[in-house]
Amino acid sequence: MTEFYADVVPGISHKELDKTFQYKVPDSLVSSAVPGAFVKVPFGRGNKEITGFIIELSETPKIDPEKIKEIKEILSDSELPESRMIDLAHWMKEEYDTTLIKALKTVFPVQETVREVKSRTKPVDYAKDSEAGITLNDEQKNFCDDVKTDFDNGIRDTYLLHGVTGSGKTLCYMEVIEHIISRRCRAIMLIPEISLTWQTVGRFKSRFGDRVSIVNSRMSKGEKYREFVRCSRGEVDVVIGPRSALFAPLKNIGVIVIDEEHEDSYKSENAPGYHAREVADYIAKKEGASLVLGSATPSVKTYYRAKKGDIRLYRLTERASDSPLPKVFVEDMREELKSGNRQMFSRRLIESLRIRLEKKEQAMLFLNKRGYAGFVSCRSCGHVMKCKNCDISMTYHRVGRLMCHYCGYTVPMVSKCPECGSPHIAGFKAGTQQVEESIKKLFPQARVLRMDKDTTSTKDAHARILSEFSKGNADILVGTQMIVKGHDFENVTLCCALAADMSLFAGDYRASERTFDLLTQAAGRAGRADRAGEMIIQTYDPDNYCIVHSAAHDYEGFYNDEMEFRRLLLYPPVWNMMTTGIISSDEEALINVCESISQSEYINDLKKNPKDITIIGPSKESIYRVDNEYRMVMYIKSKEAYILKEIRKEIYKYCTDKVFLQFDTDRTDI
Ligand code: ADP
Ligand code: ZN
Ligand code: ZN
């Protein structure tokens, strides 16, 4: 007869998770002894009775079975937050292909010997509720009423609130949360870290008082832990924070809100590489909670699901305040070159800057370098060298070749533009430092601040630069895209994307989506108060649909064109896609593994079925060697998501102790 053994942790904290104790599951308890169960067990020499949680079950004893003690009693079924977290960890282990211990460490906070922890965040005066007297407009009311009524009728759904910046999305979230709290449930509100400003916090505090808990990554472990203790004691109704707020040990979660749901920061970069949207979806279904996603520029995937009817779509089409959307100018840099202007600033930008300096208004200039991998383009006609298989821009490699990092296709670097014959074809170069220097030459009197990786390496440098700029101690802020998101400066009336093409041709299939979002956000930064704002987009490809639609503030138009591209090449959300990183510090071992994968019968059988699956690679990553590790990558696209899991298991078999694998699955269903 099979014996079952349970790994039990006596307490739950990071420190204790590594130390589990195995117990025998008596026959009478086999059906209720599940991971997450709260149990009473004999412990230590004196067999003192203590409580603990089962985190895993197995059929293999770790020591002599005779010496393994038995579980005494199962204390409850899974109503405790801890049980819920253990269940969540098991799901994450499967879903993100990680170890149970890593997953457990993700969902459980670090417990510190709690000395009295001093709060590092300054107290803010939350006294006045700005918003007490506001009546919702029709669109806002329609959304809030539906979510509330559904909730009261026991209907749990996923809702997308698509509303331009300033249309009152946050107001709607608070309205819905308040209602759900009045039904004795609790709420989790996710905000990207950068938008977690004291204004937002203040609005929630003034509405929900002390029953709000705020977590952010700047808090010490002790501070975070203290907030989580408050949650498990039932002292909190709303937790606000970045993606880790999902792991707040709340009971009775009634609603999870994800603001700016398209933000990349919702995806964890470390293993397990979970996406907050997917985890929230799991928690909501498990707990019976509503899920609200909000954004001015929803991710293509979420919008696709909304259009398909998997998510309920609501729109807020008007800004609540009267401030108009800024006027957007698209500057064709090919024309600048033709007219003899070889600078990185268009004539319109120079003139607009001059006016700003004269009127003592501020300007922001940014380079959208995110994901920038060194594409090659023609300065005369704007032609970009793209892969013939993947329609993705190719990357310049030092050996004098251009390469597609999706499929590995390469061609020699060209000396003339294949489109117009111009010799002005080269890698696209521009740096923030160079921008700063050129600005200083053009306008020696201007006070310029620069914000990029180099100037923000020290702690608090970020906040210091932004605060200097907001105090008016500089006229122009130059930086990477980090200056654009989540900040509001009253006196900024001009915002310029100096080289929109940098992120547009970033060499991955989501490049246009990210660029559209960034340009829309940037436009939202200019002229938010009573002054009209201006946005300038400099590009060599002014007819690109991404540029055209962002200039027109037209999300729908962008989405339709983008979906055409995704359909044509079967990129998500049309098909599912799994990115497999194959990594080793031993290049030879890596090449051997890649060869055995691509020559395996299994992979070749799959390739015979291109109607359901396509396999690209393995080929070298755009940056092949990082930290002395060599990296290859393989892209597998499939119509059905479940097949990817099978393929993952199969590829795992080729893994050796020298070569490790990293999976990232972009599923279309959550
Ligand atoms: P979003 O989250 O979409 O950017 P907010 O909820 O922050 O929008 O709303 C922007 C501003 O408009 C806030 O100051 C808010 O108080 C105000 N506001 C929102 N809805 C209304 C309304 N119906 N009537 C008056 N003011 C409103
Ligand atoms: Zn050309
Ligand atoms: Zn390719």
Side-chain angles (χ1 to χ4, degrees), residues 34-52:
V34 291
F38 189 41
V39 293
K40 197 188 268 181
V41 290
F43 192 75
R45 285 225 188 117
N47 283 335
K48 196 176 138 215
E49 281 191 2
I50 61 154
T51 55

Side-chain angles (χ1 to χ4, degrees), residues 378 380-383 417 419-422:
C378 171
S380 304
C381 78
H383 178 76
C417 171
E419 202 62 32
C420 75
S422 158

Side-chain angles (χ1 to χ4, degrees), residues 131 134-137 140 164-171 203 320:
E131 284 176 320
I134 290 184
T135 32
L136 300 178
N137 64 33
Q140 293 169 336
V164 293
T165 324
S167 58
K169 293 188 292 298
T170 310
L171 189 70
R203 287 171 77 181

Side-chain angles (χ1 to χ4, degrees), residues 138-381:
D138 288 349
E139 288 177 328
Q140 293 169 336
K141 195 164 175 309
N142 178 38
F143 167 76
C144 295
D145 285 354
D146 275 11
V147 182
K148 290 186 209 171
T149 314
D150 280 355
F151 192 85
D152 288 349
N153 291 334
I155 299 169
R156 301 293 183 268
D157 220 330
T158 305
Y159 309 84
L160 170 62
L161 187 57
H162 177 205
V164 293
T165 324
S167 58
K169 293 188 292 298
T170 310
L171 189 70
C172 291
Y173 306 148
M174 293 197 293
E175 195 71 21
V176 165
I177 289 172
E178 186 168 65
H179 177 82
I180 288 174
I181 290 175
S182 77
R183 300 295 187 259
R184 315 180 122 255
C185 286
R186 302 197 160 91
I188 296 176
M189 167 89 205
L190 300 189
I191 302 190
E193 180 97 32
I194 40 168
S195 349
L196 194 58
T197 57
W198 66 268
Q199 284 103 324
T200 318
V201 172
R203 287 171 77 181
F204 276 85
K205 285 257 178 181
S206 66
R207 189 127 171 185
F208 302 104
D210 283 344
R211 302 206 46 95
V212 173
S213 165
I214 290 130
V215 285
N216 66 50
S217 67
R218 291 182 303 278
M219 287 166 108
S220 70
K221 287 173 186 164
E223 280 176 302
K224 256 190 210 165
Y225 187 71
R226 195 172 56 175
E227 288 306 317
F228 277 20
V229 168
R230 283 183 62 214
C231 292
S232 55
R233 281 195 199 133
E235 292 168 13
V236 170
D237 290 330
V238 192
V239 179
I240 306 177
R243 56 171 196 260
S244 61
L246 281 174
F247 307 123
L250 291 173
K251 279 178 214 154
N252 289 339
I253 299 174
V255 62
I256 303 176
V257 177
I258 307 184
D259 187 29
E260 314 271 7
E261 67 84 31
H262 63 279
E263 275 290 328
D264 282 339
S265 64
Y266 282 127
K267 185 166 162 59
S268 164
E269 284 154 9
N270 311 319
Y274 70 93
H275 196 295
R277 206 195 297 123
E278 295 165 358
V279 175
D281 183 81
Y282 180 79
I283 298 175
K285 293 220 167 82
K286 197 86 190 171
E287 292 287 290
S290 309
L291 178 58
V292 175
L293 310 174
S295 176
T297 51
S299 60
V300 168
K301 186 169 162 179
T302 296
Y303 203 67
Y304 176 77
R305 292 180 57 214
K307 290 226 144 185
K308 250 186 16 186
D310 294 351
I311 296 180
R312 306 253 297 274
L313 178 59
Y314 292 83
R315 289 178 214 279
L316 303 180
T317 50
E318 280 159 36
R319 280 188 158 188
S321 64
D322 296 331
S323 65
L325 289 164
K327 204 163 163 37
V328 183
F329 299 94
V330 176
E331 293 307 302
D332 186 342
M333 298 309 278
R334 298 170 304 185
E335 290 301 320
E336 298 295 316
L337 187 72
K338 262 190 215 150
S339 70
N341 177 15
R342 289 173 169 269
Q343 302 183 73
M344 60 168 91
F345 308 126
S346 59
R347 289 158 295 176
R348 179 184 297 278
L349 175 60
I350 295 171
E351 179 58 15
S352 297
L353 278 172
R354 197 189 56 72
I355 295 172
R356 293 301 170 308
L357 289 168
E358 211 174 86
K359 290 211 265 182
K360 306 232 173 311
E361 293 175 357
Q362 291 173 298
M364 287 162 82
L365 313 180
F366 71 97
L367 284 172
N368 23 327
K369 286 174 80 166
R370 181 166 58 192
Y372 176 67
F375 68 95
V376 168
S377 67
C378 171
R379 291 193 63 183
S380 304
C381 78

Side-chain angles (χ1 to χ4, degrees), residues 119-139:
S119 176
R120 282 188 205 160
T121 27
K122 274 193 222 117
V124 186
D125 183 10
Y126 298 118
K128 58 172 187 304
D129 186 345
S130 61
E131 284 176 320
I134 290 184
T135 32
L136 300 178
N137 64 33
D138 288 349
E139 288 177 328

